[in-house]
Amino acid sequence: MIIIDAHQHYWQPARGDYGWLAQAPESLRRAFLPTDLGAERKAAGVDFSVLVQAAPSEAETHYLFELARQDDTAVGVVGWVDMEADDVGQRIDALIRDGGGLLRGLRPMVQDLADPDWLSRTSLDRAFDHIQDRGLSFDALVGMAHRSALERRLQRHPHLRVVLDHAGKPAIASKGFAPWAAWIDELSQHPVLHCKLSGLLTLLERPLDENAIEPYVAHLFARFGAERLMWGSDWPVLTTHASFAQWLALALKLTDRYAPGSRAQVFAGNAARFYALSIDGTRAAPTQAA
C-alpha cells in the first residue's frame, strides 16, 4: 500500500523567519531536514509527503521547493504568500512558476495572528479568488477562536478546496469535546472541505494517554467519513510526544476500527486527489475543478 504523509515540515532556524520557534519546546529549536527523517520514514513504510510551510515568508516557500527537488519523496508543497498584498495574484503566479508544479496549496498562519476574524476580511477576497482560479487549495490552520471567521470565508468561497489542519486543534487536554464536536458537525456540512488526521497526540498532556484521542478520531470519521480524511504526521512537531512510527501505527489502528477497509483512501488516495499530486509521473485529478 502506498502511504502519503499529507502534512510534514522541514525547517532551518538559521534562516531567521521562524518567529514562533522562540516559544516552542526547546527540542524543536533546531534544524529538521530530509536527512533527519529519511531512514525513519522509510522504515515506517511511508512513500511520499506534502511539505507544509512553517514560516510566514515567500522565501521559506522557495526554500521548501529547493528541499523538495533534492528529496524525491516530497511530491508537493503548501506554501505561504502575503494574502493582503496589492499584487497577490502576481505573487501566487510567481510561486506557481518557481515551484515548477510543486506548489499545491497555500497556508496563512492564522493561529498566530492577533485578529481572530482575519480570515473573514474582504481584503483577502482577491487572494482566495486567485487560489481558487489557479486550482490551488487552502490549508486552514485554525482553532475554535476562528470558527465564525472560517464559516464566513466558506460562505464567500463555497467552491474553495479547504482542508482543516490538525482537526481544528481540539482542546483534548482540557476535555473540550462538546464544543469542538459541534464545530466539526458544522464544518462537515461543506462538501468540499476535508480534514487532516494529524496533530492530535501533541495536544495531550504528559504522561501520554493515547486513548484520549479516540473519541475525537471517532467523531471525525463519523462526520467526514473516510472519503474526506487524510493522514499527516506533523513531523517534527510530533517528536515532542511520539515517534513517526508510533503515530502511524496508532492512526492505522484507529482507521481500521472506525472505517474498515479504508486505509488506501485515508493514507494516500484522498491526499493525492485533494492536492492533485504527481505520483509516478501521473497527476491525480483534484476533488473539485478550479
Side-chain angles (χ1 to χ4, degrees), residues 110-126:
V110 178
Q111 69 173 11
D112 294 338
L113 301 177
D115 180 8
D117 292 321
W118 181 84
L119 265 180
S120 64
R121 291 183 182 180
T122 56
S123 58
L124 302 177
D125 287 356
R126 288 176 304 164

Side-chain angles (χ1 to χ4, degrees), residues 27-154:
S27 64
L28 296 179
R29 300 176 203 167
R30 67 169 182 86
F32 287 90
L33 300 170
T35 53
D36 298 303
L37 179 61
E40 189 175 4
R41 180 172 52 203
K42 184 177 181 179
V46 175
D47 303 277
F48 303 107
S49 64
V50 176
L51 305 185
V52 179
Q53 64 80 227
S57 73
E58 292 166 31
E60 197 239 5
T61 301
H62 283 92
Y63 179 63
L64 293 179
F65 291 157
E66 293 175 15
L67 293 179
R69 291 186 182 108
Q70 301 165 23
D71 179 1
D72 59 8
T73 66
V75 291
V77 169
V78 175
W80 185 95
V81 72
D82 182 352
M83 295 183 68
E84 292 189 279
D86 291 339
D87 61 344
V88 65
Q90 292 95 315
R91 288 171 180 254
I92 292 173
D93 286 344
L95 288 175
I96 292 172
R97 181 194 66 233
D98 296 344
L102 284 168
L103 188 71
R104 308 315 310 147
L106 290 165
R107 184 176 88 148
M109 301 184 78
V110 178
Q111 69 173 11
D112 294 338
L113 301 177
D115 180 8
D117 292 321
W118 181 84
L119 265 180
S120 64
R121 291 183 182 180
T122 56
S123 58
L124 302 177
D125 287 356
R126 288 176 304 164
F128 280 108
D129 286 344
H130 210 76
I131 290 170
Q132 188 170 284
D133 290 346
R134 292 296 184 264
L136 298 174
S137 62
F138 165 57
D139 264 58
L141 180 62
V142 297
M144 288 289 294
H146 312 101
R147 181 176 181 172
S148 60
L150 178 59
E151 181 61 33
R152 291 196 293 275
R153 177 55 58 192
L154 293 172

Side-chain angles (χ1 to χ4, degrees), residues 197-231:
L197 183 60
S198 64
L200 296 177
L201 288 182
T202 53
L203 299 174
L204 297 177
E205 294 180 340
R206 294 185 178 280
L208 199 65
D209 177 12
E210 293 180 349
N211 295 324
I213 74 168
E214 187 163 348
Y216 296 84
V217 174
H219 195 69
L220 291 174
F221 275 108
R223 293 297 177 263
F224 287 108
E227 302 80 12
R228 288 192 286 154
L229 286 175
M230 61 184 84
W231 175 78

